[in-house]
Amino acid sequence: MESKLIDHLFRYHSGKMVSVLTRIFGLAHLEIIEDAVQDTFIKASISWRTKQPDNPEAWLTQAAKNRVLDIFRKLNTEKKHLPNIAYGSNAIAINELFLDTEIEDAQLRMIFTACHPKLDPRDRISFALKTVSGFSIKEISSALLTKEDSIKKRLTRARKAIQKSQLKFQIPQGELLPQRLESVMEVLYLIFNEGFHSNKEETLIRKELCGEAMRLCKILLKNKHTRTPEAYALFALMCFHSARIEAKTNAKNELLDLKNQDRSQWHFPLIKLGHTMMEKAVDTPTFSCYHYEAAIAAEHLYARRFEDTNWDKILHWYECINAIQPMPTHLLTMAVVCLQNKDAKKSKTYLDQIKPDDFAQRAYLYYGTLSDYHAATNNFHEAIKHIDNAINVVNNKFEKSYLKKKKSKLISTKN
Amino acid sequence: MMIFIGADYTDLGLSPEELQNRMGKWFSWNDKMEKAGILRGGNALTPAIRRVVGANRTVTDLTSAEVKEIVGGYYIVETTDFDAVQKIAEDFPDYDLGGTVEIREIMVFDR
């Protein structure tokens, strides 16, 4: 068997099988279900060593169906609550739930469950990665840069919340849907960002996170109730960012900023897909943050060289975002954009609206930008003062050495 | 004959992705031996072991708890000598899980 053909087969099937089995047995039996799915993969990984099946997906589905019957027996002997399926028509009902459209439906239900407001926001991502995406605790912990123990706690807490609130395994309808969909998109956005904005170790897993977020977003786009302009915009945004992912680091896995990226490495098919998605996304009178973020990401892609970047347009999109979701980081970014655009005066108007406290541990970003502003207006004394402030409050040693380099440059320009 | 002793996948809590990667390694090892035309058969074994020991015929029912004692499977290969099998055994996928390969020669009796 071509190993490429079954790329990520287990991971994707894991989410599918957990979702379908949960639909059959209910969320109360989630742990048994997860164990059962794990068993199926172990069985496959051993039995396929010497005899590889012609159709691995069908093999796994069949194995999952068999596990359903095992679980029935297990629950029966343990005298737990039996799932609400009439016995005579069991076989038919189960078979129907394994149809492709039903599998997608089950996965969508699982995504909505994982992003339920009754779950602690911090637990949602971990829980989604475990149940929908088949990540192990170890993988989640390295993907989210969190200790394995904390991930375990989060998962337990999420399961308990589900039990306690007796969550229904369903896609919300009517008035509830837009609100719940918003929380789903937020989680997908966060999963994507975890993958995109880091050059820490385990790069493979981090790219996986981006891929997972896109896969889950695609599930939203397949269902007519969740296929909204915002969801299209979110997917477009992910496409545009992903198109640049290979160019973001060099061979030594060091982060490259936009200025220094090799633009020939950008992935054209993803850019094209992003545009197609964007066309569908703009079919709405009101735009969301995702629309504007996608627009900004696209603007960067339009520029063939860094120097060609249309900063005016980017500034405009940021103003739009800040209008619907005012945040100090947006103002700071706008100040940076103005400096790129050689408009120090306008930059100052944004800087005047924010203060270092707005950024907590990331106050160095504020000081760094302030320093840039003073350097741009040839006030090197002030520029050095603020870069010193930045150096004093920064924790990350890479960023510290970056700032120190900047400082020595300032000193040499001043003299 | 190569006998594989070591970790039982059930106990390791491997993620679907890790299991699949591992399986991929087994695939390519298997393919390599098949291409070389030396593979004569093999099987995976379940973790359940029943041992009958000593004069009293004491029966011990080892399962996956004693990870080190699991025989996970075997391959029979036909090569020129021990060294050739040893070379093949270098590709055994589970060394990093603490696995061991034992190589035994199947005795051929002259008629």
Side-chain angles (χ1 to χ4, degrees):
Chain A
M1 180 178 1
E2 276 286 317
S3 60
K4 270 196 183 148
L5 280 178
I6 55 160
D7 205 18
H8 298 310
L9 176 73
F10 279 19
R11 172 161 285 163
Y12 293 164
H13 247 268
S14 166
K16 285 185 195 173
M17 280 157 60
V18 169
S19 303
V20 174
L21 296 184
T22 304
R23 199 169 163 196
I24 299 173
F25 295 106
L27 280 164
H29 300 294
L30 195 53
E31 271 188 284
I32 301 176
I33 291 166
E34 284 180 309
D35 287 348
V37 170
Q38 173 81 352
D39 284 351
T40 310
F41 290 127
I42 290 172
K43 206 172 143 196
S45 72
I46 293 171
S47 87
W48 294 3
R49 280 176 192 173
T50 44
K51 193 165 160 265
Q52 298 151 23
D54 295 330
N55 187 343
E57 292 223 25
W59 192 102
L60 286 175
T61 306
Q62 189 54 49
K65 284 186 199 166
N66 293 340
R67 289 301 296 176
V68 172
L69 299 174
D70 286 348
I71 299 176
F72 266 126
R73 276 183 220 116
K74 192 177 151 92
L75 293 176
N76 244 337
T77 41
E78 286 177 4
K79 300 231 185 313
K80 289 193 179 176
H81 296 295
L82 269 179
N84 191 15
I85 291 179
Y87 256 83
S89 53
N90 262 349
I92 304 167
I94 291 170
N95 273 329
E96 280 185 354
L97 290 174
F98 278 95
L99 296 175
D100 281 349
T101 49
E102 294 298 317
I103 291 175
E104 269 164 21
D105 184 79
Q107 282 188 284
L108 199 53
R109 286 164 192 246
M110 189 56 103
I111 296 172
F112 273 97
T113 305
C115 306
H116 199 284
K118 284 267 158 85
L119 265 55
D120 189 315
R122 287 166 298 166
D123 303 340
R124 291 178 199 162
I125 298 181
S126 309
F127 187 75
L129 288 177
K130 180 84 173 66
T131 51
V132 197
S133 311
F135 280 58
S136 71
I137 288 173
K138 201 174 140 209
E139 285 171 326
I140 299 172
S141 84
S142 66
L144 304 183
L145 307 173
T146 313
K147 286 193 192 116
E148 282 185 42
D149 269 351
S150 323
I151 300 294
K152 263 186 214 158
K153 275 185 204 137
R154 285 183 195 178
L155 293 174
T156 317
R157 204 161 47 199
R159 282 201 195 95
K160 272 194 188 144
I162 286 171
Q163 303 264 3
K164 208 177 135 212
S165 317
Q166 299 201 317
L167 296 193
K168 294 268 185 341
F169 190 65
Q170 62 190 21
I171 303 162
Q173 290 181 340
E175 289 172 7
L176 270 178
L177 183 63
Q179 202 188 343
R180 294 278 306 278
L181 188 58
E182 204 172 293
S183 122
V184 168
M185 288 195 288
E186 191 184 309
V187 169
L188 302 190
Y189 178 80
L190 289 173
I191 291 177
F192 186 86
N193 266 2
E194 286 290 347
F196 191 69
H197 288 294
S198 174
N199 66 328
K200 298 279 172 3
E201 293 150 51
E202 311 259 9
T203 27
L204 265 181
I205 288 182
R206 307 197 63 86
K207 274 179 203 161
E208 272 283 283
L209 279 189
C210 294
E212 256 316 288
M214 292 181 83
R215 188 178 74 90
L216 301 183
C217 196
K218 228 190 248 169
I219 297 179
L220 289 185
L221 297 181
K222 277 188 184 167
N223 183 294
K224 64 171 189 252
H225 299 294
T226 55
R227 191 190 293 145
T228 62
E230 287 79 29
Y232 276 119
L234 177 59
F235 194 70
L237 168 65
M238 291 177 181
C239 290
F240 290 145
H241 278 324
S242 298
R244 290 197 291 114
I245 210 163
E246 291 300 330
K248 269 187 69 181
T249 49
N250 62 16
K252 281 185 278 176
N253 199 26
E254 288 164 340
L255 204 61
L256 298 176
D257 57 23
L258 256 180
K259 203 172 187 169
N260 292 305
Q261 286 175 15
D262 174 4
R263 296 184 177 221
S264 69
Q265 274 191 44
W266 289 352
H267 191 63
F268 187 68
L270 269 173
I271 299 176
K272 215 173 141 195
L273 181 61
H275 280 301
T276 313
M277 292 296 123
M278 209 50 188
E279 275 161 23
K280 295 178 193 274
V282 292
D283 185 18
T284 171
T286 47
F287 292 162
S288 64
C289 294
Y290 302 127
H291 282 91
Y292 294 124
E293 282 199 43
I296 293 165
E299 210 57 64
H300 284 296
L301 291 168
Y302 289 141
R304 300 192 99 175
R305 298 172 309 149
F306 182 74
E307 295 74 27
D308 302 336
T309 313
N310 188 338
W311 297 110
D312 282 333
K313 266 200 159 166
I314 290 176
L315 185 64
H316 170 70
W317 297 131
Y318 270 113
E319 275 168 345
C320 295
I321 293 188
N322 200 51
I324 52 173
Q325 187 192 57
M327 262 164 47
T329 44
H330 294 327
L331 291 166
L332 185 70
T333 312
M334 291 193 287
V336 174
V337 169
C338 289
L339 289 177
Q340 290 293 348
N341 214 8
K342 309 258 184 282
D343 189 350
K345 213 170 139 193
K346 198 164 187 186
S347 178
K348 187 71 173 31
T349 64
Y350 293 122
L351 285 169
D352 285 344
Q353 297 173 50
I354 47 179
K355 48 189 191 307
D357 291 353
D358 294 336
F359 301 93
Q361 291 115 319
R362 309 183 77 197
Y364 64 92
L365 295 174
Y366 171 82
Y367 289 121
T369 311
L370 201 55
S371 167
D372 283 348
Y373 162 74
H374 286 297
T377 50
N378 291 320
N379 191 347
F380 290 101
H381 182 72
E382 282 291 303
I384 292 168
K385 191 178 111 192
H386 288 297
I387 202 95
D388 270 335
N389 283 338
I391 293 168
N392 281 336
V393 294
V394 73
N395 289 321
N396 186 304
K397 63 174 181 184
F398 295 104
E399 282 169 312
K400 193 169 231 161
S401 73
Y402 173 80
L403 289 170
K404 280 184 175 165
K405 253 187 233 160
K406 232 175 148 177
K407 184 187 168 183
S408 48
K409 239 189 207 164
L410 281 174
I411 293 173
S412 60
T413 332
K414 182 188 164 199
N415 298 329
Chain B
M1 181 180 204
M2 292 184 286
I3 304 163
F4 315 127
I5 299 166
D8 168 25
Y9 285 4
T10 319
D11 289 337
L12 295 169
L14 300 175
S15 74
E17 195 79 353
E18 289 164 323
L19 277 170
Q20 195 181 327
N21 283 341
R22 218 148 262 291
M23 192 176 65
K25 288 183 193 165
W26 279 94
F27 281 6
S28 51
W29 193 34
N30 189 82
D31 288 349
K32 195 171 169 182
M33 289 189 277
E34 263 181 0
K35 268 198 196 118
I38 57 175
L39 197 59
R40 293 294 171 268
N43 270 309
L45 302 174
T46 71
I49 296 175
R50 193 161 294 181
R51 239 173 229 167
V52 187
V53 185
N56 291 336
R57 275 92 169 146
T58 310
V59 176
T60 56
D61 189 10
L62 294 172
T63 56
S64 52
E66 283 84 0
V67 168
K68 290 270 181 248
E69 306 221 22
I70 300 277
V71 175
Y74 65 89
Y75 271 131
I76 296 172
V77 290
E78 192 172 320
T79 60
T80 44
D81 53 22
F82 252 109
D83 291 343
V85 186
Q86 192 182 318
K87 188 116 188 60
I88 283 289
E90 279 170 14
D91 289 334
F92 170 65
D94 290 346
Y95 290 118
D96 58 332
L97 298 177
T100 309
V101 181
E102 266 177 22
I103 303 169
R104 302 285 299 267
E105 192 173 352
I106 295 172
M107 198 180 279
V108 182
F109 293 97
D110 293 330
R111 296 222 166 194

